[in-house]
Amino acid sequence: MIPLKILHLEDDEKDAIIIKKTIQEEFEHAIIKKVDTQGDYETELKKEKFDLILSDFSLPGFDGIKALNIAQKLVPETPYIYVSGHIGEDRAIDALKLGATDYVLKDKLVKLIPAIKRALKEVEVKEENKRIENNLKESEEKFRTIVNNFPVVLFMTDENGIATFSRGKGFEISGIKSENLVGANIADMYKGISFKLINGIVISGKEAFNNALRGEIQNGVIFLNDRFYETKLLPYFDDLKNIKGIIGISLDVTELISTQNQLKESEETFRKIFESAPIGMARLTSNGNYLSANLVLQKMLGYSEEELKSMNLDDITFGEDKIKSKEMFYNLISDESNYVKFEKRYITKSGKIIWTNITSTAVKNKEGNILFLITMIENINERKEAEIALKESETRFKDLAALLPLTVFEINLTRQITYVNKTGLKTFLYSEEDIQKGLTIDKIPHSKDLKFIFERFEQVLKGKQFGGLEFTAVRNDGTEFPCIVYSNAILKDDRPAGIRGILIDNTERHNTLEELVMAKERAEEMNKLKTIFLANMSHELRTPLIGILGFADILKEELKKEENMDMVNTIYDSGTRLLETLNLILDLSRIEAGKVQILYKAFDVIEVVKELVKLFQSISQKKELYLKIETPFEKLEVELDERMFHSVIKNLISNAVKYTAKGGVTIKIEFEERKENGILIVGVSDTGIGISEENQEIIFDEFRQISEGYSRNFEGTGLGLTIAKNFVQKMGGDIKLKSRQGKGSTFKVSLPAKVINIKSAEKENTPESVLKDVAASEKNNIPVIPEILLVDDDDITASVIKLYFKNIYIIDWAIDGEAALEKVNTKRYDLILMDVNLKSNLNGMDVTKLIRSIPDYKDTPIIACTAYAMKSDKKKFLDAGCTDYLSKPFTRDQLKKTIDSVLTK
Ligand code: ADP
């Protein structure tokens, strides 16, 4: 407790002690300061604050009244009690009037303590009142300030709605002066105003006011002079609960409302964006639960918004991406990042996994608490799938390139190797580090190829395409090998950025090529040998054949006995067949040797065909087959290679007869005239076994027969059609086949030919007439018997020829060149048959040249006879001076025809 502090004005020491004692009996710790002069008194009062002043009335040079005045001036609040001797009642009353608190007589000091207590109490009450008064003042001031400075309208009415009080700056804003309101009828003022109640219903201001006057609180917003006021009309009552009037409070909320409207607008904008965004959008709680999802997202995930609202983010995140997703989510809500952006997979309702791109951010309030998370989900499945496919194909190609047993490389524009596969490293003996350190290809081509390769690469960069470029490559250890490189330009943004290619070690191919060249040369050599062999063999085979055929021919005429005739015929037929085979082989070897040359000469097609028919007459008669020619011509002289034509048609007739058992063979000769050359068409049709479709192609191949192997039913070499086709093609024509198995075949030969002479037939060609014609043509009379010199080292041939022409020509024989020269020098022959191969110093051609030098023999026909039945030789013979040429073996007819033709020239 704070001790009581008392200032005591007293000039009597004794009295002072008594008074002090009296006080301290009640207030043990009271501090009593005694002064006795005016100066000390004033000094003390100014120096410190006392709770109480005690004063004697009469003081030397100073009195109690004066002291009181001083106290009232300096410390008016401090209680002032006179403690004095008797001063008289009047003076005491004056003193109290002047403002002293009390008066106590020194002889009645018992009253002092109650007086002090009273005075102190009084001070306490006074102070309390003052405080209350101050507080009141303060709060009044506050209220005034608030009402005057804030946009509040405050008024009060009586029970009739007449304003009794009004305050507030709000009126200033609304244009009404606050003071002007008192005495006005507020209900009337509210007439034209709308009052929007908080439940949204709008009533008139007057109605609202009357409602309030009936005791209902009205709460709403009014719109006045372009401003909004949130308004409360509060009825107030007297003790008897009668309406005494209305207290009206209006608060200007114009700014608030516009802020609210703005907020609403921005919310609306946000909602629109959210709904119509072309990507998926969702709002989530900070726990990852869905709050809303736009249509795009619903469509993307297959879940409706309602379904999503019952789900957590984690529920539809693809397993492998859950950890990443959670981590990102945590970063966001833990304030580590303002937003997160990452790729992840969702599982849709249908179970499909889709790739998305996520951008998520947290929306927070002022305090920084998360309101919700807003997430944008972009479907990047297609892009991702393409990316994955690209990666896969990249890996696939990389793997393949690594596997390839050839060098795969890429270089940049400075020829630095940017990629090379393992095979490449192995081939060129470089390591991966070498490449990483930066290696150019400058050391790869051999110095001799360097310029060429780099020039080519420059062109490749410009977009030029080359096949394989061959060059010599150099390994890291300096060894070399042949290689071939295929390359093209690497383009980046349509600009060349380097070269990519493959390089193949060509060593093996080089070796193979060399082997191949060698093999080809060997094969060609062998082929040559074969041709020579065939030529030689034909000579060796033909010579004895002349003997066989010649004598058989003579014997056919000489022998009468039926039995012997058969044998001779067999010898003759077998010989003929052998000769034919020989001819075919020879033709083939000539074709192969490329030595077949066409010799165009005019001849009568009809005559040649008639002759051929005659040739097959006896065999077809034996098989009881008809063999006929159908043609509108009697003579059809065209320019063609007669030998080839003969060979082709003979072959076709031969086959037709061979492969026909019933019916017969028809040869149809037609001619289509054209502007320049005409087309000769010869069809050979038979009623034989026919050829299946699948075999129609192969029969034109060498040595191919339909029945092949040991079980074949027909004899033959399988060469006939090959040669026929070849000859026809050589003459610029073609050969076509129409056939049905079991029904027969037709081979149709078309040949472009220049027509020389053409004559229509008066009568139809029958087999008989053909034969007759042929027989008639045989009787080609030559008036004198010509003398012929036969030069041949083979005595059999000589005997055969002599026998052939026993009664037709006179045949003289010379065994070699020397003998021949001797004979021509002594006699003049009409014709010389000259064998080319004479087993003496001089060969036939040497002898011919010598004979030609004899004046008498300048124009004498010399026919070269040789087994070297190669067409190309013929020119050699004619150049040496021969008139004609006949290859061995020849039949009697052939020889006779040749002799007659040169003799009648
Ligand atoms: P070859 O008659 O000597 O066997 P070809 O080359 O002349 O050889 O004929 C080849 C094959 O074509 C014959 O073996 C035969 O099977 C078939 N062929 C040819 N002509 C006829 C034909 N007119 N009728 C049926 N088959 C034929």
Side-chain angles (χ1 to χ4, degrees):
M1 200 186 148
I2 302 163
L4 195 64
K5 268 172 95 180
I6 299 169
L7 181 66
H8 192 192
L9 189 60
E10 178 64 68
D11 56 342
D12 191 306
E13 286 293 327
K14 247 198 306 172
D15 284 353
I17 290 165
I18 293 165
I19 289 166
K20 189 176 181 179
K21 231 176 143 186
T22 308
I23 292 168
Q24 283 178 336
E25 265 171 20
E26 181 67 26
F27 304 102
E28 195 182 347
H29 302 291
I31 298 161
I32 302 159
K33 200 156 229 180
K34 185 186 91 68
V35 286
D36 47 15
T37 63
Q38 186 182 344
D40 288 349
Y41 174 68
E42 278 183 29
T43 309
E44 283 303 322
L45 281 180
K46 281 176 191 164
K47 204 166 79 189
E48 57 186 302
K49 188 177 179 317
F50 293 94
D51 298 312
L52 180 72
I53 299 168
L54 297 178
S55 168
D56 197 0
F57 204 83
S58 48
L59 295 157
F62 185 43
D63 69 61
I65 295 297
K66 209 174 175 182
L68 178 67
N69 284 338
I70 291 168
Q72 279 181 335
K73 222 170 159 187
L74 293 175
V75 282
E77 311 298 331
T78 312
Y80 195 99
I81 299 173
Y82 283 113
V83 185
S84 165
H86 204 67
I87 56 167
E89 204 156 318
D90 292 341
R91 283 182 75 183
I93 288 166
D94 283 347
L96 289 174
K97 271 186 188 165
L98 277 170
T101 313
D102 216 339
Y103 176 83
V104 178
L105 288 175
K106 283 183 180 171
D107 53 359
K108 284 187 183 159
L109 271 180
V110 282
K111 286 190 176 175
L112 180 60
I113 294 306
I116 289 174
K117 281 185 176 170
R118 218 167 29 245
L120 289 176
K121 185 85 194 162
E122 248 172 52
V123 169
E124 214 174 273
V125 169
K126 241 193 219 166
E127 277 178 356
E128 179 64 22
N129 284 344
K130 208 172 173 186
R131 212 176 54 245
I132 289 168
E133 200 180 306
N134 281 343
N135 279 351
L136 198 70
K137 256 190 195 160
E138 216 175 280
S139 70
E140 228 184 58
E141 190 56 41
K142 268 188 197 160
F143 173 74
R144 215 184 353 261
T145 318
I146 290 168
V147 169
N148 288 340
N149 290 309
F150 286 89
V152 176
V153 175
L154 204 64
F155 62 84
M156 221 169 160
T157 72
D158 61 14
E159 66 269 31
N160 301 314
I162 307 296
T164 56
F165 164 89
S166 101
R167 283 277 186 289
K169 209 177 179 179
F171 286 108
E172 281 172 32
I173 303 165
S174 62
I176 305 163
K177 276 209 163 158
S178 185
E179 309 86 83
N180 296 349
L181 209 68
V182 178
N185 189 329
I186 305 267
D188 283 348
M189 287 179 73
Y190 263 60
K191 230 191 253 169
I193 299 169
S194 307
F195 196 103
K196 188 178 177 185
L197 297 169
I198 44 169
N199 60 14
I201 296 167
V202 180
I203 55 176
S204 76
K206 193 172 177 169
E207 193 184 343
F209 213 86
N210 290 335
N211 288 343
L213 282 178
R214 277 199 303 275
E216 288 170 26
I217 294 174
Q218 299 293 296
N219 226 336
V221 175
I222 58 171
F223 184 66
L224 195 66
N225 295 334
D226 290 336
R227 299 198 74 81
F228 292 97
Y229 297 90
E230 190 177 318
T231 302
K232 280 187 198 322
L233 297 176
L234 308 163
Y236 70 97
F237 306 89
D238 64 10
D239 297 343
L240 297 170
K241 300 241 183 299
N242 294 318
I243 296 274
K244 280 205 71 188
I246 291 169
I247 296 172
I249 307 167
S250 284
L251 188 66
D252 188 337
V253 289
T254 316
E255 266 73 42
L256 190 72
I257 284 182
S258 90
T259 315
Q260 267 173 357
N261 282 344
Q262 277 169 14
L263 196 71
K264 232 180 175 176
E265 248 172 58
S266 77
E267 259 176 15
E268 183 68 11
T269 314
F270 169 75
R271 199 186 56 78
K272 269 192 199 149
I273 292 172
F274 188 83
E275 285 306 334
S276 59
I279 59 169
M281 287 190 85
R283 280 189 318 127
L284 296 143
T285 66
S286 51
N287 298 324
N289 294 325
Y290 282 93
L291 287 169
S292 58
N294 71 351
L295 276 173
V296 177
L297 185 64
Q298 292 171 39
K299 234 170 139 185
M300 197 191 297
L301 299 177
Y303 291 106
S304 70
E305 189 171 31
E306 281 316 302
E307 284 171 317
L308 283 170
K309 274 181 178 170
S310 65
M311 286 175 147
N312 187 279
L313 187 64
D314 207 39
D315 298 339
I316 48 173
T317 298
F318 180 62
E320 280 175 33
D321 295 342
K322 276 187 180 171
I323 294 175
K324 180 169 65 176
S325 174
K326 271 187 189 149
E327 194 184 316
M328 291 293 167
F329 198 80
Y330 178 77
N331 283 350
L332 201 60
I333 58 168
S334 66
D335 245 7
E336 243 164 65
S337 28
N338 288 336
Y339 72 96
V340 289
K341 204 170 159 72
F342 62 104
E343 287 177 1
K344 73 172 219 183
R345 284 162 286 183
Y346 278 102
I347 305 169
T348 68
K349 193 177 182 180
S350 61
K352 211 179 128 195
I353 294 162
I354 53 160
W355 271 102
T356 63
N357 193 359
I358 306 288
T359 312
S360 192
T361 184
V363 177
K364 295 172 186 170
N365 63 10
K366 262 194 263 163
E367 287 75 39
N369 299 322
I370 292 176
L371 296 175
F372 56 83
L373 304 177
I374 182 119
T375 302
M376 289 187 279
I377 304 112
E378 186 190 355
N379 189 337
I380 53 161
N381 217 31
E382 261 177 45
R383 195 192 82 199
K384 205 76 193 174
E385 273 173 9
E387 250 175 49
I388 291 168
L390 196 74
K391 240 189 194 151
E392 263 175 25
S393 90
E394 202 184 294
T395 330
R396 187 160 53 236
F397 282 113
K398 272 228 168 101
D399 287 354
L400 279 175
L403 272 176
L404 277 177
L406 42 86
T407 302
V408 180
F409 67 91
E410 279 180 2
I411 56 170
N412 62 18
L413 291 175
T414 55
R415 293 201 290 267
Q416 199 162 34
I417 300 169
T418 49
Y419 168 79
V420 63
N421 67 344
K422 284 213 174 76
T423 314
L425 292 173
K426 243 163 76 192
T427 308
F428 285 91
L429 307 172
Y430 285 101
S431 69
E432 198 77 62
E433 290 86 72
D434 293 330
I435 305 298
Q436 270 155 19
K437 271 188 221 151
L439 188 74
T440 65
I441 55 154
D442 295 3
K443 276 199 230 133
I444 300 295
H446 190 278
S447 53
K448 72 177 164 64
D449 295 330
L450 204 67
K451 199 166 160 253
F452 153 75
I453 285 297
F454 288 174
E455 270 171 15
R456 286 289 187 277
F457 274 7
E458 283 305 314
Q459 286 171 299
V460 168
L461 280 173
K462 283 178 190 152
K464 198 159 182 234
Q465 301 259 347
F466 293 102
L469 296 174
E470 287 189 51
F471 68 97
T472 304
V474 185
R475 295 189 188 91
N476 202 10
D477 67 353
T479 52
E480 299 166 9
F481 66 97
C483 74
I484 182 162
V485 70
Y486 296 87
S487 62
N488 57 18
I490 304 172
L491 295 179
K492 270 193 188 136
D493 300 328
D494 285 341
R495 288 211 177 139
I499 286 174
R500 164 185 299 134
I502 56 168
L503 183 142
I504 303 163
D505 184 335
N506 219 8
T507 313
E508 233 170 80
R509 226 195 83 190
H510 258 240
N511 294 344
T512 318
L513 211 67
E514 266 170 36
E515 278 167 23
L516 266 174
V517 169
M518 269 159 66
K520 185 182 163 251
E521 280 168 3
R522 246 197 330 267
E524 279 169 1
E525 183 66 27
M526 293 296 287
N527 207 31
K528 252 188 225 160
L529 283 175
K530 184 192 86 182
T531 310
I532 295 168
F533 170 78
L534 283 173
N536 287 338
M537 280 307 285
S538 75
H539 172 74
E540 289 311 313
L541 290 171
R542 273 164 178 267
T543 313
L545 258 180
I546 292 176
I548 297 167
L549 283 172
F551 285 121
D553 204 11
I554 294 159
L555 280 175
K556 279 205 283 189
E557 281 178 27
E558 300 288 318
L559 292 176
K560 304 284 174 256
K561 223 173 163 187
E562 193 70 20
E563 215 180 283
N564 293 338
M565 268 296 282
D566 276 353
M567 285 195 275
V568 171
N569 279 337
T570 311
I571 293 170
Y572 187 81
D573 291 347
S574 305
T576 310
R577 211 179 115 199
L578 197 59
L579 182 62
E580 256 152 33
T581 304
L582 210 58
N583 281 335
L584 286 173
I585 292 172
L586 252 155
D587 279 338
L588 184 73
S589 70
R590 264 195 254 128
I591 289 167
E592 281 186 356
K595 283 186 176 166
V596 178
Q597 273 160 9
I598 312 174
L599 197 82
Y600 284 104
K601 205 178 97 186
F603 66 92
D604 184 2
V605 171
I606 307 294
E607 201 189 311
V608 170
V609 177
K610 275 182 183 170
E611 239 174 87
L612 285 170
V613 165
K614 201 194 128 203
L615 211 62
F616 290 98
Q617 203 62 52
S618 73
I619 172 136
S620 43
Q621 268 166 6
K622 251 187 234 159
K623 290 178 84 174
E624 293 179 4
L625 299 174
Y626 63 80
L627 182 58
K628 61 176 181 186
I629 301 173
E630 275 179 14
T631 180
F633 309 113
E634 193 186 314
K635 192 182 178 89
L636 179 58
E637 203 178 335
V638 294
E639 240 176 35
L640 265 177
D641 186 310
E642 185 182 349
R643 204 186 82 77
M644 285 187 186
F645 177 78
H646 185 271
S647 163
V648 171
I649 306 301
K650 184 178 169 192
N651 232 297
L652 296 182
I653 300 174
S654 163
N655 280 346
V657 174
K658 198 189 329 180
Y659 299 108
T660 305
K662 244 169 123 184
V665 177
T666 308
I667 301 127
K668 206 169 176 180
I669 305 165
E670 294 161 291
F671 191 79
E672 278 178 20
E673 292 221 44
R674 299 265 167 99
K675 247 188 196 163
E676 289 197 356
N677 288 344
I679 305 279
L680 169 68
I681 304 160
V682 182
V684 179
S685 307
D686 64 56
T687 54
I689 58 171
I691 303 161
S692 69
E693 219 161 286
E694 62 195 72
N695 286 324
Q696 288 182 14
E697 274 297 312
I698 66 158
I699 55 166
F700 290 100
D701 296 343
E702 272 172 44
F703 302 108
R704 293 303 300 264
Q705 296 173 308
I706 293 167
S707 58
E708 289 171 348
Y710 292 115
S711 61
R712 64 194 190 133
N713 307 321
F714 299 92
E715 288 165 331
T717 55
L719 287 175
L721 287 177
T722 314
I723 293 164
K725 189 173 178 182
N726 206 288
F727 281 172
V728 168
Q729 284 172 347
K730 272 253 144 69
M731 289 187 280
D734 69 11
I735 182 162
K736 284 205 176 100
L737 165 63
K738 258 193 195 156
S739 183
R740 271 178 65 199
Q741 223 170 355
K743 297 278 178 206
S745 316
T746 297
F747 287 86
K748 206 172 199 179
V749 176
S750 308
L751 295 162
K754 191 172 160 193
V755 68
I756 305 293
N757 198 348
I758 192 162
K759 197 172 153 194
S760 295
E762 284 154 20
K763 53 183 175 21
E764 215 182 298
N765 285 299
T766 62
E768 292 73 32
S769 69
V770 169
L771 280 177
K772 245 186 249 161
D773 288 349
V774 174
S777 75
E778 259 188 9
K779 289 175 192 144
N780 216 342
N781 291 335
I782 291 148
V784 277
I785 298 175
E787 274 190 66
I788 294 172
L789 174 65
L790 168 67
V791 187
D792 201 312
D793 60 349
D794 186 45
D795 53 349
I796 300 172
T797 308
S799 314
V800 170
I801 292 174
K802 273 186 183 169
L803 271 169
Y804 269 170
F805 305 113
K806 216 163 54 185
N807 303 316
I808 305 168
Y809 311 124
I810 297 158
I811 307 254
D812 203 357
W813 173 49
I815 194 161
D816 55 24
E818 285 79 8
L821 286 170
E822 234 182 79
K823 283 188 184 279
V824 291
N825 275 319
T826 53
K827 197 173 174 183
R828 196 174 178 284
Y829 294 94
D830 296 312
L831 187 142
I832 299 167
L833 290 171
M834 179 69 71
D835 185 22
V836 177
N837 235 19
L838 298 172
K839 289 187 201 86
S840 65
N841 292 335
L842 296 168
N843 69 26
M845 291 308 101
D846 300 332
V847 182
T848 305
K849 279 177 198 159
L850 290 169
I851 293 174
R852 281 283 180 239
S853 66
I854 302 164
D856 273 353
Y857 281 94
K858 245 186 179 161
D859 299 318
T860 311
I862 302 175
I863 298 172
C865 306
T866 177
Y868 285 119
M870 306 289 280
K871 199 108 218 189
S872 58
D873 293 341
K874 187 174 177 180
K875 197 171 172 294
K876 257 195 261 165
F877 305 146
L878 299 179
D879 287 349
C882 295
T883 317
D884 210 341
Y885 154 94
L886 197 64
S887 76
K888 281 182 184 173
F890 35 73
T891 60
R892 182 178 167 272
D893 282 351
Q894 282 169 335
L895 182 55
K896 186 171 180 295
K897 233 178 132 188
T898 313
I899 292 171
D900 288 352
S901 78
V902 293
L903 283 177
T904 50
K905 256 186 194 161

